[in-house]
Amino acid sequence: MKYINQPVVKKDAYALLSGKPVYCDDLALKDCLIIQLLRSPHAYAKIKSIHTENAKKVAGIEAIYTYEDVPKSRFTLAGQSYPEPSPYDRLILDQVVRYVGDEVAIVVGKNEACVQKAMKLIRVEYEVLTPLLDFTKAIDHEVIVHEEEDDRVLCEIGYDRKRNICSQGESVVGDVDAVFEECDVILEKDYHTKANAQAMMETFRSYAYVDAFDRLNVVSSTQIPFHVRRILSHALEIPKNKIRVVKPRIGGGFGAKQTACCEIFAAFVTWKLKKPSKIVYTREETFSSSNSRHEMKMHVKIGAKKNGEILAIDLHTLSNTGAYGEHGPTTVGLSGHKSLPIYNHVKASRFTYDVVYTNTMTAGAYRGYGATQGQFAIESAVNELAEQLKMDPCELRLNNIVQEDEVMSQYYGEHLNACALDRCLKKAMDMIDWKHKGIRQDVGDKVRGLGVALSMQGSGIANVDIAGVIIKLQDDGFYTLAIGATDMGTGCDTILAQMAAECLECEVEQIVTQSVDTDASPYDTGSYASATTYVTGMAVVKACEILKQQIIQEAAILLEVEEEHITFDGQQIIAMEDHKQMSLAEFANTCFAGGKGACLMATASHCSPISPPPFMAGIAEVEVDKLTGKITLLDYVAVVDCGTVINSNLAKIQVEGGIAQGIGMALYEDISYSNTGRMRNCSFLQYKIPTRKDVGTIRVDFESSYENSGPFGAKSIGEVVINTPAPAIASAVAHATGVHVRTLPITAEKILLQKDED
C-alpha cells in the first residue's frame, strides 16, 4: 500500500505552525456582542430574586437574561445520539443552582468592559440550601439534588432522582458467589480515581449570527456539531431546519467538547436579539464550570487458584455525575465492560454500578470515558493478586488474558476477531528488559520499581455511531471529500484523505478534505468513542469504491468501449483492447463540459454492528527517594494493537500524548472542593499537569493485527492509550516502596504517611 501506514504530514500542519487564524475566536465577526455569565457562589441554592435594573443602565449593555426569560423545556448537553441515554435534567437558566459556578444570568454587551461592570451591579437574593458534596453518601441522602418534576429520561437507565440516582444497573455472568467458593486466594480492595480536567489549550468558545434567511448560524469549537444542532433545537424550542452549526479548527477537546457547554448561550442571545454574539470561557470557567472526568470509587473482589488461574471478578463502581447527568449513565458502563473482558477466561464475573448526583460540577467525557477508571481498579487488583500469589504479574496476565477468536461475555457478547494483546505484553517486557531487570532494585538512597498494566477500549459505539461521506470528482481530476467527522487535532482530515487516496490510487494532495458544516456535510455522530478511523474510515472506503466504479462506467461511455475493457490506475483511464486512453484530468474536464459527461459524486455511510477493541500493554519504571518519597518516572514503554496503523507518525503521537495524560492522572492531577463546594483547582497554578520534563522517557511500538471489519484492517487508537499509566505506575511504586496507593494521584506524602493496609 502506498499511503497506509505512512508518516503523511497533517494537512493543516503548516497553517497551525505559521499561526494562521483558524480557530473559532479568530474567525468571529468583529461586531459580535460579548456574552459573560453570572455564576452562583453557592453549591446549592434557590434564587429568590434577581435585581438587574442598575446593571441594565450601564452604557453598552444590550440585554440581561435570567431564568424567567428562557424556555422551560429541559434537555441534556451530552453529545450523544438520539435518544440520548443521559437524562433531560437542565434548563438554559434555572431558578435552582446546583453547584458553585452554575449559571445565574446571561449578560450581553458591546464590549467586555461594560459587561464586567454590569455583572458587578446585579443583585441576587438566594435561599441557600445545604449542599450534598460527598458522593459516597448520596444515595437516599436527605438532600435531593433534583427535586423538579419536569425532568425526563428517554432510555431505561435505572434513573431515580429522588434517591439521587442518575443511573443504576448490573451485568452478571455465571454464579459469582459459587465460583468464589472454589478460589484458594481472594483479594478484596477499594480503588478511588478523582475528577480530572481535560485541560485542552483552547477553552470553550462559540459565536452565532442570523443569516439573510433568518437561520441561526452557530460556529463552535466542538466535537459534536450535529448533536449541537439537536441540543439547540430542544433547548431553544425551534426546529432543526432553522439551525446551522459550523466547526472550525479545534484547539483540543479530549472529550470535554463532547458536552455542549457554551453554545447554548450564544445561540440563545443571537436568536433573541437577531445580532451576532460570542462567548469565550476563561480558563477558570473551563476548570470550574464545564465538565471533568467522573470521580469513581470501585470495589474489586478477585479470586484465583494457587496456580494463578483467575476464576472470578466482582466489580462495583460508584460514579459521581455531579450536578447534572451528562454522560453519567454511559461512562460508568465502560468501567466494567472494558476492564473485565481483558480477563475473559474467568468462570464468573459481576459488574454493578451506581451513578449519583451531587452539588459539584457536572462530570462529562474525557479520553478513556470510564474505562480509564475501571482499568485502574482491575489492573491494580490483578497486580496485588500477583503479589499475594508470589507470581510475576506479567506471567499471571499471560496465563489469563483474552485471546483472539473468543466471545467476550462482559463486552456485550462480541466475538473478538483481532487481538495481539499477548504479543504486545511480550514485546513491552523485552523493551524494558523485564526478566533481567527485576521488579525492585535498591540503588542506595533511592529504590526503583517496575509495574505493568493492560488496556482495551472500543472502536465506535456498535449499532449507534454512523458516519456519512460524500466524495466528488472535480475538474482537473482532484477530489473533494466531505465528512461530518470532527478533526480536533487528531488528524482525521489527513487520515481519511490517506484512505481515499489509497482507494482511488491518487496522491493525498489530490484529496481536499472539507470542514464540518451541518448544512453541507453528511451526518456523522461526532468525534468521540474512538469512532472516526474505524467508522468514518469505512464510509470513505465504501464511497471511494462507488466513485471508482462510476468513473469506469462513465469512461466507457465517453470512449465508446465496453465497460469491462476499462482499467483505471488513478491517473490514466485505459482501454487496452480498443487502443484508447485518457488522463483523469482530461476525463474530469470532459465530464464538466456540458452534455458530454456527468458530474460524478458518491455518497456512503457506515454503521458497525460491532466495536472491535484495540489493546495496549504498558510498563513503567519509577524511582522513589527513600527519604522524601519523591517519585520520578524514568521510563515508560507501550505497545499497542490498533489493527493496521494508518498514519505511523500520528499514531505514535496519539500514544505518547495519551500516556502523558495518564501520567498526569497517576501522579499530579487532583480536583478537590472546599467544605462549601468551591473548587480549589481553578487554574494551572493549582491544577498541575505534567510537563515534558515530568514524563520521563516514553517509548512506543506497535503489534499488528487485522480487523476485517475495519478500513484496511484498522481499529481505533485514540482512547486506549490513556488507560495503562495509572495502574502501571501504582504497581511500580508499590514494588519499590511496599506501599499500595489506591487513591489517585500517587504522591510523596501518601507514600510517606500512608500506613500500608496490607
Side-chain angles (χ1 to χ4, degrees), residues 349-644:
S349 61
R350 178 165 52 209
F351 169 44
T352 57
Y353 59 84
D354 297 288
V355 183
V356 296
Y357 286 111
T358 62
N359 293 114
T360 58
M361 184 182 74
T362 309
Y366 185 6
R367 193 177 199 171
Y369 202 79
T372 314
Q373 298 96 307
Q375 286 169 19
F376 170 67
I378 294 297
E379 290 301 296
S380 293
V382 171
N383 282 325
E384 294 196 52
L385 177 66
E387 187 177 316
Q388 194 163 327
L389 291 167
K390 295 181 172 53
M391 290 186 65
D392 182 298
C394 288
E395 294 302 324
L396 177 63
R397 285 174 167 82
L398 288 170
N399 293 333
N400 287 280
I401 56 176
V402 67
Q403 301 284 336
E404 198 164 274
D405 204 31
E406 293 182 3
V407 174
M408 297 172 288
S409 53
Q410 282 285 14
Y411 191 59
Y412 317 108
E414 279 199 18
H415 178 267
L416 184 57
N417 299 319
C419 175
L421 182 56
D422 56 342
R423 301 199 305 274
C424 288
L425 179 53
K426 290 173 183 177
K427 181 177 281 190
M429 293 169 67
D430 290 341
M431 288 170 67
I432 209 158
D433 198 20
W434 177 275
K435 291 185 178 179
H436 299 102
K437 188 171 286 187
I439 60 175
R440 187 181 189 277
Q441 306 168 66
D442 196 313
V443 287
D445 58 349
K446 296 178 182 178
V447 62
R448 295 179 179 179
L450 295 179
V452 62
L454 305 179
S455 173
M456 64 173 275
Q457 199 76 34
S459 301
I461 305 173
N463 293 310
V464 173
D465 283 350
I466 186 169
V469 164
I470 301 170
I471 188 162
K472 302 177 184 178
L473 175 65
Q474 304 286 7
D475 47 345
D476 283 350
F478 73 96
Y479 303 92
T480 53
L481 179 65
I483 59 174
T486 302
D487 193 329
M488 53 178 170
T490 51
C492 77
D493 287 354
T494 305
I495 290 168
L496 297 174
Q498 284 178 251
M499 294 184 189
E502 192 72 47
C503 292
L504 295 168
E505 301 179 83
C506 66
E507 302 297 319
V508 174
E509 291 73 20
Q510 286 178 254
I511 308 293
V512 176
T513 313
Q514 298 175 327
S515 295
V516 183
D517 177 335
T518 57
D519 276 4
S521 303
Y523 184 84
D524 192 294
T525 40
S527 291
Y528 60 87
S530 303
T532 304
T533 297
Y534 177 74
V535 180
T536 311
M538 277 306 299
V540 169
V541 171
K542 289 179 179 180
C544 288
E545 291 303 317
I546 295 170
L547 181 60
K548 195 170 182 179
Q549 189 58 40
Q550 288 179 2
I551 291 171
I552 291 172
Q553 291 170 349
E554 191 64 26
I557 295 171
L558 292 177
L559 294 176
E560 298 179 332
V561 300
E562 295 296 323
E563 188 177 316
E564 55 267 25
H565 292 182
I566 296 287
T567 60
F568 174 48
D569 65 2
Q571 300 301 322
Q572 296 289 324
I573 298 167
I574 303 170
M576 293 291 292
E577 296 181 21
D578 303 277
H579 306 288
K580 294 180 179 181
Q581 70 178 62
M582 64 193 311
S583 70
L584 176 63
E586 291 173 322
F587 169 76
N589 289 332
T590 302
C591 286
F592 282 88
K596 295 184 179 180
C599 296
L600 301 184
M601 69 178 72
T603 182
S605 63
H606 184 68
C607 178
S608 176
I610 59 173
S611 177
F615 295 93
M616 175 180 174
I619 300 179
E621 182 177 13
V622 304
E623 185 175 78
V624 183
D625 189 295
K626 292 179 180 177
L627 180 63
T628 66
K630 180 183 177 182
I631 305 164
T632 302
L633 181 61
L634 300 177
D635 195 9
Y636 199 93
V637 300
V639 184
V640 179
D641 163 24
C642 59
T644 300

